[in-house]
Amino acid sequence: MKNLKLLYCDHLNIIPGASFLTVDSETNKLYLATTDTVYGYDLNTFNKVFEVDLRKENLTPDGNLEIVGLQFMSGEEKLCVSLKHGDIILLSTFDCEVECVGTLDCELDSMFWSPDQEVVLFTTNVGTAVAMTHDFDPITEIEVGMDRFGEGEFVNVGWGKKETQFQGKAGKFVPGKEKKVEAGLVVDDGKMKVVWRADGQYFAISTIENGCRKIRVWNRDCVLQYTSENLNGLENSLAWKPSGSLIASTQMKAHRHDVVFFELNGLQHGEFTLNFERNSVNILKLEWNSDSSVLMVLAESRQGLDEESAVTYLQLWSSTNYHWTLKQSICFHEKVALACWDSENLFDLHVLMQNGSYHLYKWNWVIDCSSSDGGGGYNSSSSELVASNGSHVAVVDGSKVKLTPFKHMNVPPPMCAYQYKFNTNVKHLAFCESNLNSDSFITLTEDGSLFCFMKEGSYKDNNVDLKLVAAGGNGFKTTIDILSLSAKFSISQSLEHKVELSNLRHLLWVGEQTMVAASYSYTLKSDAICLFTLDFGNFTCMCKVIKAVSSNVVSMCSFKSGDTCVYVIAQMQDGKVFKYELSSLNCEALLDTQGSPVVLTTLCPYMSVCSFQHTQAADTTYALISRSAQKQLFLNNTVISRECTSYSIHDEYILYTTSSHKIICISRNSDISHYNKPTENPLPQQISCDISRSVERGSTIVTVTPNDTKVVLQMPRGNLELIHPRPLVISVVKRAINKFQYRDAFILMRKHRINMNLLYDHNPQQFNNKVEHFIEQLDSVDYLNLFLSELKDENFTETMYSQYYPNSSKMGNVLISNSFTPSKVNSVCDKVLSVLNAAQNGKHFLSILTAHVRKIEPEIKQALSKVRDQKKSLNSALVAEGLHHLHVMVEGRVLYRESLATYDLELALMVAQVSNDDPKEYMPFLNKLKQMDPDYRNYEIDMFLKNYSRALVNIAKCPDHFNECIALVKSHSLHREALKQFGKYTPQYKEISNLYAEFLVGKSRYEEAGIILARCDSHKRAIKCFTTACSWQHALNSATYLKYSKEDQTELAQNLSRALADKNRFLEAAHLLEHEASDVPSAIKALLKGRHWENALNVIRTHKQVDLIDTQVLPAIQDAMKENETSIKTYSEQFERYFNRLMVVREIKKQKQLQAMLYGGGEGDLESDIASDFGSTVTGSSHSSASSRASGRTAKSRRKQERKRFSLREGSRYEEEGLLQALREVVTNLSVLSTSIHSLLLHAALFYMDAEAESLQSLYDKTRSIVSKNITNIWVLPDSSEFNGTGPQSTVNSILSNRANVNNSEPGSFADLETFLPPKVDLNVKFGMHIYGK
């Protein structure tokens, strides 16, 4: 789908008669040779820098010589010149030194170097070829006319004779009728032609044998490989495709002139016909450019062979999908001495004329599209294109223009929708830049005619023929609007000799009556930008030169700012970019967003102006988008990609493909103000909202349909692929939703599988206000069901489609709520239900069911109730359809169970039938239910559904089945629910209460069981439960109801006191013994056992039983003092033992850490005291395995592991933590003793136990002092270096080892920091009695 566009052409006048040309691409110098002189020119300044006359070098005795070959030697800065008499010389380009490096003993005809310049072939006048190395050492002399095929000769495998095989068009072979090859050619110079393959491994030689040309292929070692088949009319032109696949030549046939192709093995493989009449031209040369994309054909007319009437044609052909098209044709009315492609620059074509003029043509591929410029992006500064834009793409094929509107059809090349044919070849083509006529285009032909095509054209011209191809015709209906010819102008009459028609390029149709172009003016001696005014009334064209420029114009584009102001952007060869305002013809440099001039560091044949409208900016920003042939994509002065292969501009995105086979979309709502960095800096951060997706290898963009989602890609072979990038789809969907076009948005989302939640999430407030409008627009039950089925409690603008909503909370005029209640699904379903229920028609019955079922907690019962309502209305068809629909949305078993829960057996039967289950599975059960009473049937249904609470309600209504009720309560613990179903004073209530009490006793909830029993007057059993629960007040209350005697009351109190004493509730036990049992001595014993000294003395005083002091109080005080003394000694011994061991453990740990820092060591060396110095270390994989095992531990094993952390086993990994935990417990317990000891000392002093009290106080003070002094030595926070392995003594090995140990350690391998903190006790507080030393 590409056309070949002329960027610019350089001109240079040199010495006439030059026949040889070679180029130094590194220094951009051109070297030419006449018969005896070599010239050099600098293509940057067009000055002659080199001239050597070989006649003055005494290379021949008489000074007469003839140059037959010229080649620049890369890397040596020398020219290799071959002379006809056999000399080979090297000519230095620095000092013009001439060196003869060899001489052949025969005359030379030509010289051919291999592409790598390692081998050279010299053809001689005796029909041989001499091969030499780079240093001109002979390799061999080739006898070209060998009478053999070569090493690759085909082998007959015995598959039959030729006469028994199908012969194609020639028909069956007839014995005696041999196929003859006609001898003789119309025109042939008779010279030997040589061509190398691009990799230098093979070369082909074309020679005349027996009056016919043959092509032979030789390898690099000069061994014959293949010989071509005999072809009648084969000519002398020869070219080898750089990709290595084909050898091209020309063939004159009886009715046409063809370019034929041969494979490496010499067999013909394809052909195409030149647009010349037979015997009208001589083919001078065939040559491919370096990437094999363009084939140059140089032909000379046979009509005029003299200098004045000579006509030479230069044609450029390209292949797409195996179809050859003529892309450009140049007609020279003079002889061309030489034409060749540049070896480095793909599309640089050197043309040397016989009269001494030199032309350097720079070409480039473009795509001519109605919605884009040559680079693939449309130039409109506005994002609003008319809907009539058909995205036409025009392809030039000689005198034909092939058109395809990709908005309506996707036709791959070489086909098209329709085509126009002209009398002469098409040179230029341009679409109108105006939005109103964006499909209109103009065509400039070789004869200077300018044709304008529009949708409503009515101009008649017999030289323009229309042919419908894929668009219809020939009896078929035309499916598209055909662009028709509306005017014809003669450009050649309007130029006024200021500019040359042949140099006209970069056509821009900026308005209906205005065209801009660039051309070289021989009068001005420079490029000029010309303005053409088209008069459609008189069909005249006026040309005016806007400005002559000092440099070549490389590319041009236009854009419109406002309603009337049209600008033309022109890029010069030096990288400067200028802006021309057409109305005032003012010229100024194009500025970027920072006010700096835009200067491109490399030539950019593709260029467009794009508008950016940032969401936070009020004004529109214009930026120049350009792409170089080196795949650099520029935004003004900034390179935003270095692998861009094509680009295009959509309404909301800039799309470009990359050499990594992706298509990237950049939002036009991005802020580009920070892109003011120079291009030589590294790439800046990506523009926001860039989204990419993979495409097929080598894909390039052909066109992007405005206001649509279509992107047409072309593969390297030429076939097309139509894709819909997700950003374009989302942008069209958002635009449709904003315009309340819900149906269009829905259909597009359904087609491209966009989640339907976006219909709501894009603008929840708008959707809530337009639910009724939304349902009316969809007007389809299936569409509405699909929308409801995809609803999720998730904001898809923040999750799945967040990249398409970068500023969703700041959308300006669109109110968007990105946060909604968790019941989004319920909210939408409720709103839809409110609209559908209000309509009260059966059209959306299925949607009503869907809305109920799609809620977070599916309302299946409500949906079934809707079906039951229709059943009552005798609408059997709707009932069946509804049940089928529910069966699709709800699992069959669930739906069947829910239908049973309605207790409607007919509905349940219909649901079961819809589910296609075996009737044997449900019919017996349903028949059995029909025979039962309603309440008992409902009970059976609930039991089947395992809805035991409802089953209890139903069975409670069946007095005859109370035993089943009791069984249900027992089996499913429904005691609470059962109590609600019966009266408080009924026998059923009492029985269930007894069952409930037994249940609570089984759960060890004795007090609650006693309450339940007391409520049903089972006080005797209640007392047992209260006694077990130590609830003595409730027990005494129940005893009151039983009217206990004094003895029974006393016995109950004693039982309760024993139970309380067992639970250390001595005060309550003493209260019962004193007041309920009247047993004072037992009450005092209980108080003394609980160390309640004051309460015991108070009871003695109240009951005046002082004798109990000597018998009970004093012995109890003495026993308590002994117990406390024993406990203090035990704590002291434990503290000393744990403290000493802790100091030893820390010293060992410190020594091992120091050793690890100095010498390095594994984690295993630090973990255990008993680990061997030569033991194995724990690897990272071991730790990983340990971590995996640890993650799968059970709760029991985790508790066991926690206990290991506080192990006191010597040498344990966690011994230090265990010692700290043990010391914490000792200190805490010792601190707790202070309160009880203080009370004990007070009462010991009261009864003159001074010696024992003083001893106890002294022992406790001493122990407290020792512990208090050592607390700071025990609980020391670990230094950070212990965790990260750093510190003044650390080495690289120790730090890395320590970090590896930390990373590989199990969770919990280090104790919490709380372990290293001291307990929250104060051992320095004043304690004791002054009488005993305080």
Side-chain angles (χ1 to χ4, degrees):
M1 306 301 291
K2 299 178 181 178
N3 295 325
L4 205 56
K5 173 184 177 181
L6 178 64
L7 299 183
Y8 64 88
C9 178
D10 283 328
H11 306 274
L12 178 64
N13 292 323
I14 58 175
I15 301 298
S19 303
F20 300 96
L21 179 148
T22 184
V23 179
D24 178 8
S25 299
E26 293 184 1
T27 60
N28 203 22
K29 291 182 180 179
L30 174 72
Y31 298 99
L32 305 166
T34 59
T35 304
D36 48 26
T37 307
V38 180
Y39 301 91
Y41 292 88
D42 189 343
L43 293 180
N44 295 320
T45 61
F46 296 101
N47 295 326
K48 182 165 63 175
V49 295
F50 183 86
E51 181 179 358
V52 175
D53 189 351
L54 296 181
R55 292 176 299 180
K56 301 178 181 179
E57 301 297 331
N58 299 322
L59 297 175
T60 58
D62 56 357
N64 294 326
L65 51 82
E66 181 181 349
I67 297 175
V68 296
L70 178 68
Q71 177 67 44
F72 177 77
M73 308 302 293
S74 300
E76 299 182 18
E77 304 301 329
K78 293 182 180 180
L79 293 171
C80 180
V81 183
S82 60
L83 304 178
K84 185 174 183 179
H85 64 269
D87 282 353
I88 306 170
I89 64 174
L90 290 179
L91 178 60
S92 174
T93 59
F94 284 121
D95 52 11
C96 301
E97 179 183 355
V98 178
E99 177 186 4
C100 182
V101 295
T103 302
L104 298 180
D105 57 359
C106 57
E107 290 187 0
L108 301 181
D109 286 341
S110 57
M111 174 179 65
F112 302 93
W113 282 88
S114 64
D116 57 3
Q117 296 188 348
E118 293 296 328
V119 180
V120 59
L121 287 176
F122 297 97
T123 60
T124 67
N125 63 341
V126 295
T128 61
V130 179
M132 291 186 177
T133 65
H134 176 82
D135 298 326
F136 302 101
D137 295 327
I139 298 177
T140 186
E141 184 174 359
I142 302 173
E143 293 290 339
V144 177
M146 294 183 178
D147 191 16
R148 61 188 182 89
F149 185 86
E151 288 187 347
E153 185 174 3
F154 305 119
V155 178
N156 187 352
V157 295
W159 285 352
K161 297 181 180 180
K162 183 176 181 180
E163 55 266 25
T164 65
Q165 298 178 1
F166 179 69
Q167 301 298 312
K169 292 182 179 180
K172 187 175 180 181
F173 175 77
V174 179
K177 185 180 178 181
E178 300 291 341
K179 181 179 179 180
K180 296 182 180 180
V181 178
E182 297 181 5
L185 296 173
V186 177
V187 175
D188 196 313
D189 57 6
K191 294 182 180 180
M192 187 185 304
K193 304 295 182 181
V194 180
V195 62
W196 284 87
R197 199 168 77 171
D199 59 0
Q201 298 301 314
Y202 293 94
F203 60 89
I205 300 178
S206 174
T207 57
I208 296 178
E209 297 180 15
N210 300 325
C212 296
R213 283 235 171 224
K214 275 193 175 183
I215 301 174
R216 288 183 169 85
V217 179
W218 312 72
N219 64 8
R220 190 182 182 89
D221 298 327
C222 301
V223 178
L224 179 63
Q225 300 296 307
Y226 306 99
T227 301
S228 68
E229 56 183 325
N230 295 329
L231 283 184
N232 181 30
L234 194 64
E235 297 181 328
N236 61 353
S237 56
L238 194 65
W240 201 318
K241 195 174 183 179
S243 61
S245 56
L246 296 174
I247 302 171
S249 184
T250 55
Q251 181 185 16
M252 183 70 73
K253 294 186 178 181
H255 57 289
R256 65 178 189 264
H257 206 164
D258 288 354
V259 174
V260 293
F261 302 103
F262 297 90
E263 297 179 3
L264 180 66
N265 57 16
L267 298 179
Q268 184 178 353
H269 182 83
E271 62 189 11
F272 71 89
T273 301
L274 297 171
N275 60 347
F276 298 119
E277 297 291 335
R278 188 176 185 269
N279 295 326
S280 62
V281 296
N282 296 329
I283 305 301
L284 302 179
K285 187 176 183 179
L286 296 178
E287 186 178 356
W288 262 290
N289 68 335
S290 57
D291 70 344
S292 306
S293 61
V294 183
L295 176 64
M296 179 195 69
V297 178
L298 185 64
E300 184 180 43
S301 175
R302 296 182 183 179
Q303 300 297 327
L305 299 179
D306 56 332
E307 292 290 339
E308 296 181 356
S309 60
V311 179
T312 307
Y313 304 97
L314 190 149
Q315 295 184 346
L316 302 178
W317 293 78
S318 178
S319 174
T320 301
N321 272 354
Y322 304 104
H323 175 80
W324 286 86
T325 57
L326 177 60
K327 293 301 181 182
Q328 282 289 345
S329 176
I330 303 176
C331 180
F332 300 99
H333 295 279
E334 53 187 323
K335 286 191 175 183
V336 176
L338 183 66
C340 65
W341 290 103
D342 192 273
S343 59
E344 296 293 333
N345 301 309
L346 298 181
F347 299 105
D348 285 11
L349 181 62
H350 304 276
V351 179
L352 182 62
M353 311 304 295
Q354 195 71 36
N355 61 4
S357 62
Y358 163 80
H359 308 280
L360 173 60
Y361 292 92
K362 280 190 173 289
W363 307 92
N364 209 82
W365 290 117
V366 298
I367 296 177
D368 291 307
C369 178
S370 62
S371 61
S372 64
D373 66 347
Y378 66 84
N379 294 331
S380 173
S381 61
S382 173
S383 61
E384 297 180 358
L385 289 176
V386 292
S388 61
N389 190 318
S391 294
H392 277 76
V393 175
V395 179
V396 175
D397 184 6
S399 60
K400 301 175 185 177
V401 174
K402 298 181 177 182
L403 295 159
T404 301
F406 280 96
K407 182 177 182 179
H408 307 289
M409 57 178 59
N410 186 20
V411 183
M415 296 185 295
C416 62
Y418 59 98
Q419 67 181 23
Y420 280 102
K421 185 176 181 181
F422 305 89
N423 275 352
T424 57
N425 292 327
V426 176
K427 291 186 66 67
H428 301 286
L429 186 147
F431 280 90
C432 185
E433 306 290 340
S434 172
N435 290 340
L436 299 177
N437 301 295
S438 56
D439 276 340
S440 304
F441 71 97
I442 55 176
T443 299
L444 180 63
T445 57
E446 280 185 337
D447 59 358
S449 298
L450 182 69
F451 298 90
C452 298
F453 294 86
M454 296 182 180
K455 288 187 177 180
E456 299 179 355
S458 58
Y459 189 86
K460 301 297 182 181
D461 191 328
N462 295 329
N463 295 326
V464 179
D465 298 327
L466 169 65
K467 180 181 179 182
L468 300 181
V469 185
N474 297 325
F476 294 95
K477 180 181 178 180
T478 303
T479 57
I480 59 174
D481 293 332
I482 306 298
L483 300 178
S484 305
L485 182 63
S486 61
K488 177 183 178 182
F489 304 94
S490 179
I491 295 293
S492 58
Q493 298 177 1
S494 64
L495 294 179
E496 300 179 357
H497 305 290
K498 294 181 180 178
V499 294
E500 292 291 333
L501 176 63
S502 60
N503 291 312
L504 205 63
R505 63 189 192 277
H506 302 308
L507 270 66
L508 294 177
W509 192 7
V510 296
E512 186 174 355
Q513 298 180 352
T514 306
M515 184 181 74
V516 179
S519 179
Y520 182 80
S521 172
Y522 288 102
T523 305
L524 302 174
K525 300 298 183 183
S526 67
D527 263 6
I529 298 177
C530 306
L531 177 65
F532 294 85
T533 302
L534 307 179
D535 186 354
F536 283 84
N538 300 319
F539 301 108
T540 58
C541 176
M542 298 298 296
C543 174
K544 178 171 62 175
V545 175
I546 297 178
K547 185 176 179 60
V549 294
S550 58
S551 180
N552 290 324
V553 178
V554 176
S555 61
M556 294 199 313
C557 66
S558 68
F559 75 100
K560 187 176 181 180
S561 178
D563 297 331
T564 58
C565 195
V566 178
Y567 295 93
V568 173
I569 307 299
Q571 178 193 171
M572 304 304 162
Q573 190 176 358
D574 56 4
K576 294 181 180 179
V577 182
F578 295 95
K579 180 173 66 173
Y580 298 89
E581 203 277 306
L582 293 186
S583 60
S584 61
L585 303 182
N586 290 332
C587 173
E588 60 182 6
L590 182 66
L591 305 179
D592 61 11
T593 56
Q594 303 299 321
S596 302
V598 176
V599 179
L600 301 175
T601 57
T602 182
L603 296 184
C604 295
Y606 315 96
M607 196 167 64
S608 308
V609 174
C610 178
S611 62
F612 288 84
Q613 180 65 55
H614 187 44
T615 55
Q616 298 180 356
D619 299 330
T620 300
T621 303
Y622 296 94
L624 181 69
I625 307 294
S626 52
R627 183 176 76 85
S628 68
Q630 292 75 32
K631 301 182 180 180
Q632 294 172 310
L633 183 64
F634 292 84
L635 192 152
N636 288 334
N637 287 326
T638 305
V639 179
I640 60 176
S641 175
R642 297 192 186 276
E643 54 174 1
C644 175
T645 56
S646 64
Y647 81 91
S648 183
I649 302 178
H650 185 255
D651 305 353
E652 297 186 16
Y653 288 92
I654 298 175
L655 297 90
Y656 67 92
T657 56
T658 67
S659 53
S660 56
H661 324 304
K662 291 184 179 298
I663 183 169
I664 298 177
C665 306
I666 300 177
S667 173
R668 291 177 61 182
N669 294 324
S670 305
D671 182 12
I672 62 169
S673 59
H674 58 281
Y675 281 84
N676 56 353
K677 303 177 182 179
T679 54
E680 54 267 15
N681 285 357
L683 286 177
Q685 59 182 353
Q686 286 290 332
I687 301 180
S688 60
C689 307
D690 55 329
I691 307 161
S692 66
R693 60 158 284 183
S694 298
V695 293
E696 190 173 337
R697 181 183 296 270
S699 301
T700 56
I701 300 175
V702 174
T703 184
V704 176
T705 305
N707 290 325
D708 205 345
T709 63
K710 298 177 183 178
V711 175
V712 182
L713 301 177
Q714 186 169 27
M715 307 304 114
R717 193 189 73 181
N719 55 307
L720 301 181
E721 180 178 336
L722 181 64
I723 66 171
H724 300 266
R726 187 54 54 91
L728 271 61
V729 176
I730 297 295
S731 86
V732 175
V733 167
K734 291 195 292 185
R735 190 184 307 126
I737 295 175
N738 292 335
K739 294 180 179 179
F740 310 118
Q741 298 171 353
Y742 288 107
R743 182 178 178 86
D744 296 340
F746 181 90
I747 293 175
L748 189 62
M749 294 170 70
R750 180 171 175 262
K751 178 180 179 181
H752 297 286
R753 297 185 179 182
I754 305 296
N755 195 285
M756 296 298 173
N757 281 269
L758 202 61
L759 289 168
Y760 175 87
D761 296 337
H762 175 71
N763 194 331
Q765 182 177 350
Q766 172 185 304
F767 184 89
N768 291 333
N769 297 333
K770 296 289 183 179
V771 172
E772 186 174 359
H773 182 67
F774 169 75
I775 296 174
E776 290 177 359
Q777 275 207 358
L778 288 189
D779 194 27
S780 170
V781 175
D782 293 337
Y783 287 177
L784 186 56
N785 289 341
L786 179 59
F787 166 73
L788 293 172
S789 299
E790 290 196 12
L791 285 176
K792 287 185 179 180
D793 265 345
E794 175 185 345
N795 190 345
F796 280 73
T797 63
E798 296 177 351
T799 55
M800 181 181 292
Y801 303 116
S802 59
Q803 54 188 337
Y804 309 108
Y805 289 86
N807 302 311
S808 58
S809 60
K810 306 173 183 178
M811 290 295 290
N813 58 347
V814 179
L815 300 177
I816 291 186
S817 173
N818 287 323
S819 60
F820 41 77
T821 61
S823 59
K824 161 194 165 184
V825 176
N826 291 347
S827 174
V828 175
C829 290
D830 289 338
K831 289 183 179 299
V832 171
L833 283 172
S834 64
V835 174
L836 298 182
N837 290 329
Q840 294 183 352
N841 56 42
K843 177 180 179 181
H844 290 92
F845 176 66
L846 299 183
S847 298
I848 293 175
L849 300 182
T850 304
H852 280 296
V853 174
R854 278 296 300 138
K855 289 190 177 182
I856 298 301
E857 295 182 359
E859 297 177 350
I860 302 177
K861 293 181 181 179
Q862 288 81 344
L864 288 172
S865 68
K866 296 289 184 181
V867 176
R868 189 163 53 181
D869 293 342
Q870 295 295 330
K871 177 171 165 285
K872 293 178 181 179
S873 302
L874 303 178
N875 195 341
S876 58
L878 204 57
V879 170
E881 188 178 2
L883 289 177
H884 279 285
H885 182 72
L886 287 176
H887 182 261
V888 172
M889 300 198 66
V890 183
E891 186 182 354
R893 294 288 181 182
V894 175
L895 187 61
Y896 175 63
R897 294 171 68 88
E898 291 293 339
S899 64
L900 280 175
T902 64
Y903 306 129
D904 188 339
L905 297 184
E906 292 183 6
L907 182 62
L909 178 60
M910 295 177 66
V911 171
Q913 291 173 343
V914 169
S915 64
N916 295 326
D917 289 340
D918 189 355
K920 294 180 180 179
E921 297 181 4
Y922 56 84
M923 285 305 299
F925 177 67
L926 294 178
N927 291 333
K928 177 183 175 182
L929 292 176
K930 288 181 180 179
Q931 300 173 1
M932 299 178 182
D933 295 334
D935 291 332
Y936 191 71
R937 179 200 305 153
N938 296 345
Y939 161 73
E940 287 291 342
I941 291 175
D942 290 330
M943 291 299 293
F944 175 77
L945 299 177
K946 297 182 180 181
N947 192 347
Y948 302 114
S949 298
R950 290 184 60 185
L952 178 63
V953 174
N954 289 317
I955 197 63
K957 299 176 183 179
C958 304
D960 298 337
H961 298 277
F962 184 70
N963 292 336
E964 294 182 43
C965 178
I966 295 297
L968 177 62
V969 171
K970 285 183 177 180
S971 59
H972 298 288
S973 304
L974 298 175
H975 305 86
R976 290 174 299 181
E977 293 82 355
L979 290 176
K980 299 175 183 178
Q981 303 302 320
F982 300 97
K984 297 180 180 179
Y985 305 105
T986 60
Q988 294 87 349
Y989 186 88
K990 184 173 182 179
E991 186 173 352
I992 292 175
S993 296
N994 290 327
L995 292 176
Y996 193 15
E998 292 176 4
F999 171 78
L1000 292 174
V1001 169
K1003 297 291 185 180
S1004 299
R1005 306 178 77 123
Y1006 298 103
E1007 188 173 18
E1008 295 181 33
I1011 296 294
I1012 295 298
L1013 290 170
R1015 289 174 55 177
C1016 62
D1017 296 331
S1018 298
H1019 293 288
K1020 191 171 183 179
R1021 294 175 59 193
I1023 289 175
K1024 292 181 180 180
C1025 293
F1026 289 140
T1027 302
T1028 306
C1030 296
S1031 181
W1032 54 275
Q1033 293 93 339
H1034 291 300
L1036 293 177
N1037 289 336
S1038 294
T1040 303
Y1041 285 101
L1042 295 176
K1043 298 180 180 180
Y1044 270 18
S1045 62
K1046 183 66 175 178
E1047 292 77 10
D1048 294 337
Q1049 189 84 6
T1050 301
E1051 184 181 358
L1052 177 60
Q1054 289 176 347
N1055 292 336
L1056 289 171
S1057 65
R1058 282 192 294 271
L1060 292 170
D1062 291 340
K1063 293 187 177 181
N1064 295 328
R1065 295 166 62 178
F1066 296 104
L1067 285 174
E1068 295 174 84
H1071 176 79
L1072 283 173
L1073 291 170
E1074 179 185 1
H1075 296 91
E1076 300 296 336
S1078 301
D1079 188 356
V1080 176
S1082 297
I1084 294 174
K1085 285 182 181 180
L1087 291 172
L1088 293 176
K1089 190 175 181 180
R1091 303 297 188 259
H1092 301 291
W1093 313 110
E1094 294 89 345
N1095 299 87
L1097 293 176
N1098 190 34
V1099 172
I1100 290 173
R1101 177 186 59 80
T1102 302
H1103 294 279
K1104 298 180 181 181
Q1105 297 185 8
V1106 182
D1107 56 323
L1108 295 178
I1109 295 177
D1110 294 332
T1111 59
Q1112 292 188 14
V1113 176
L1114 296 181
I1117 293 176
Q1118 290 177 353
D1119 292 341
M1121 295 179 69
K1122 290 179 181 179
E1123 289 178 5
N1124 283 316
E1125 185 175 353
T1126 302
S1127 298
I1128 293 171
K1129 289 180 179 179
T1130 302
Y1131 292 151
S1132 178
E1133 291 173 1
Q1134 290 178 349
F1135 180 82
E1136 183 179 1
R1137 184 170 71 255
Y1138 295 154
F1139 177 77
N1140 293 336
R1141 179 58 187 171
L1142 179 64
M1143 297 298 106
V1144 173
V1145 169
R1146 287 181 173 174
E1147 184 63 27
I1148 294 174
K1149 184 177 180 181
K1150 185 181 298 183
Q1151 291 177 2
K1152 288 187 174 291
Q1153 285 180 342
L1154 180 60
Q1155 182 181 3
M1157 290 180 182
L1158 295 176
Y1159 307 107
E1163 182 182 353
D1165 297 333
L1166 301 177
E1167 287 180 354
S1168 175
D1169 298 338
I1170 62 175
S1172 171
D1173 291 339
F1174 301 95
S1176 62
T1177 59
V1178 181
T1179 64
S1181 61
S1182 300
H1183 286 295
S1184 176
S1185 300
S1187 265
S1188 297
R1189 291 193 299 271
S1191 63
R1193 292 188 180 120
T1194 62
K1196 183 178 179 181
S1197 61
R1198 283 196 296 271
R1199 289 194 298 269
K1200 184 178 179 181
Q1201 184 67 18
E1202 286 295 323
R1203 289 195 297 270
K1204 285 184 179 180
R1205 290 180 55 189
F1206 303 110
S1207 173
L1208 296 176
R1209 182 175 60 85
E1210 292 190 4
S1212 170
R1213 180 178 182 180
Y1214 305 109
E1215 184 182 4
E1216 181 181 4
E1217 299 171 14
L1219 291 170
L1220 289 172
Q1221 184 64 22
L1223 288 169
R1224 176 187 294 276
E1225 293 177 0
V1226 170
V1227 173
T1228 303
N1229 293 335
L1230 193 63
S1231 176
V1232 170
L1233 285 177
S1234 62
T1235 302
S1236 61
I1237 290 177
H1238 181 72
S1239 177
L1240 184 60
L1241 290 176
L1242 290 175
H1243 290 84
L1246 180 63
F1247 296 107
Y1248 301 100
M1249 298 180 182
D1250 296 335
E1252 295 86 343
E1254 185 175 0
S1255 174
L1256 179 62
Q1257 180 171 317
S1258 176
L1259 178 61
Y1260 186 69
D1261 284 341
K1262 180 179 179 181
T1263 305
R1264 275 167 43 105
S1265 177
I1266 294 173
V1267 172
S1268 178
K1269 290 179 181 179
N1270 289 288
I1271 282 181
T1272 55
N1273 297 327
I1274 297 172
W1275 284 281
V1276 180
L1277 282 175
D1279 188 45
S1280 61
S1281 61
E1282 294 184 20
F1283 291 104
N1284 55 30
T1286 59
Q1289 303 298 329
S1290 302
T1291 63
V1292 173
N1293 290 336
S1294 67
I1295 294 174
L1296 294 177
S1297 175
N1298 209 313
R1299 288 189 177 181
N1301 294 339
V1302 172
N1303 292 334
N1304 293 326
S1305 62
E1306 296 182 18
S1309 60
F1310 288 97
D1312 298 333
L1313 286 179
E1314 186 179 354
T1315 306
F1316 295 92
L1317 297 176
K1320 297 178 179 180
V1321 297
D1322 188 4
L1323 298 179
N1324 296 320
V1325 68
K1326 291 183 180 181
F1327 171 81
M1329 299 180 63
H1330 189 272
I1331 191 174
Y1332 301 129
K1334 287 291 183 179

